[in-house]
Amino acid sequence: MTGTEPGNEAGTEAGTAGARSADRLTSVLRPVRAGNGFEEALEQILQVVRLGLVPAGGRLPAERELAERLGISRVTLREVLKVLQDQGLIESRRGRYGGTFVLPRTDAGGEDELRRRVAAVDIEDVLRFREVLEVGAAGLCAAHGLGGAGADRLREALDRTRDAPLGEYRRLDTLFHLTVAELCGSPSLAARYAGVRASVNELLDCIPLLVRNLEHSQRQHTALVEAVLDGDADGAREIMREHCAGTAALLRGFLT
């Protein structure tokens, strides 16, 4: 029998489309930073899908190639792909013409509603302002030092986020970050932060809760508290900057 078997035409065409798009991926897929590997890898592959660099029905590069391009392990990559599969954006197929394929979008009003919810928000402005305030607050807490009561408040806020039910995590996470802002010694900064955090939470409510991201955030919270209580201002600022960057990567990936 010559030519392409009818049952394999879709797989062959999808594979060809994936090959044609490979050169266009260079501008999007790049090695991620070690601190936020999962979040930044997810952001980049979401960009590939949402920008249509691999069209619906097209095949993403093989796992080995994706992992090498992103500079992450195959284990981390599979966790990223699992998130995208759970969101109905891709599917994995086995067999000779298998691989990871981009699924057609089924809007049903969801995407339009999402656009309406974020249309009035300047996402980049919110994320940058949030980073300035949070990094500054963390540095001030560490530089000025926390008394016994302040240190206890910070530890208690951290403890409440540990083993929190999934549905409660974002609320307790918000309270932890508000505590850092309130303890920095600047009521003006704390008030501004409360406002920007409300905007951040509206954006976070538009994206799924990802267990891998929450576990990573919790490790960063713990490191931040240790740096603050040790009086390590530079360390506290750097940890908070990296923490904000991880959240920003997820929000940009899902919402922009």
Side-chain angles (χ1 to χ4, degrees):
M1 182 174 180
T2 60
T4 304
E5 295 181 15
N8 292 329
E9 288 179 0
T12 302
E13 291 173 2
T16 302
R20 287 198 301 268
S21 68
D23 58 337
R24 297 199 297 268
L25 303 184
T26 303
S27 61
V28 175
L29 298 179
R30 57 199 179 278
V32 300
R33 293 173 294 182
N36 295 309
F38 170 82
E39 291 84 356
E40 292 187 14
L42 180 58
E43 176 191 17
Q44 290 186 35
I45 299 179
L46 274 166
Q47 287 176 342
V48 167
V49 173
R50 293 187 181 281
L51 290 173
L53 298 182
V54 175
R59 182 166 49 195
L60 291 173
E63 285 189 5
R64 179 177 179 180
E65 179 185 347
L66 273 177
E68 288 177 353
R69 284 189 183 226
L70 295 166
I72 58 177
S73 69
R74 295 277 286 273
V75 172
T76 296
L77 175 63
R78 286 168 185 158
E79 291 178 333
V80 169
L81 296 178
K82 176 68 163 56
V83 169
L84 298 178
Q85 188 164 323
D86 290 345
Q87 294 301 303
L89 297 174
I90 63 172
E91 71 173 1
S92 178
R93 302 175 193 165
R94 296 184 179 276
R96 181 179 178 186
Y97 297 98
T100 303
F101 293 82
V102 176
L103 293 174
R105 292 192 185 185
T106 54
D107 188 7
E111 194 76 14
D112 290 340
E113 175 61 22
L114 180 60
R115 290 194 187 99
R116 283 194 291 271
R117 290 180 66 180
V118 302
V121 180
D122 185 334
I123 294 177
E124 286 303 319
D125 180 60
V126 169
L127 295 177
R128 288 170 183 166
F129 191 39
R130 181 243 179 142
E131 180 179 336
V132 167
L133 294 178
E134 293 235 39
V135 170
L140 287 171
C141 283
H144 295 167
L146 298 180
D152 288 344
R153 276 190 63 193
L154 188 59
R155 291 192 190 96
E156 289 168 5
L158 175 64
D159 288 342
R160 283 195 295 269
T161 63
R162 289 196 179 106
D163 301 319
L166 202 58
E168 277 285 282
Y169 186 84
R170 279 186 177 157
R171 184 181 70 84
L172 296 173
D173 173 66
T174 296
L175 293 177
F176 171 78
H177 284 272
L178 283 172
T179 299
V180 175
E182 291 167 356
L183 291 173
C184 79
S186 171
S188 296
L189 188 153
R192 291 295 185 92
Y193 178 69
V196 78
R197 181 68 195 208
S199 297
V200 170
N201 282 357
E202 287 181 2
L203 297 175
L204 288 171
D205 286 341
C206 296
I207 71 173
L209 281 163
L210 306 177
V211 172
R212 167 68 183 267
N213 169 248
L214 299 187
E215 291 172 347
H216 182 209
S217 294
Q218 197 61 26
R219 290 193 296 271
Q220 291 175 325
H221 288 168
T222 301
L224 174 68
V225 170
E226 291 174 354
V228 167
L229 297 182
D230 287 344
D232 180 3
D234 289 341
R237 283 191 289 264
E238 186 56 34
I239 293 165
M240 185 63 89
R241 184 176 290 108
E242 188 173 274
H243 182 63
C244 290
T247 302
L250 288 182
L251 289 171
R252 291 188 185 106
F254 278 105
L255 304 180
T256 63

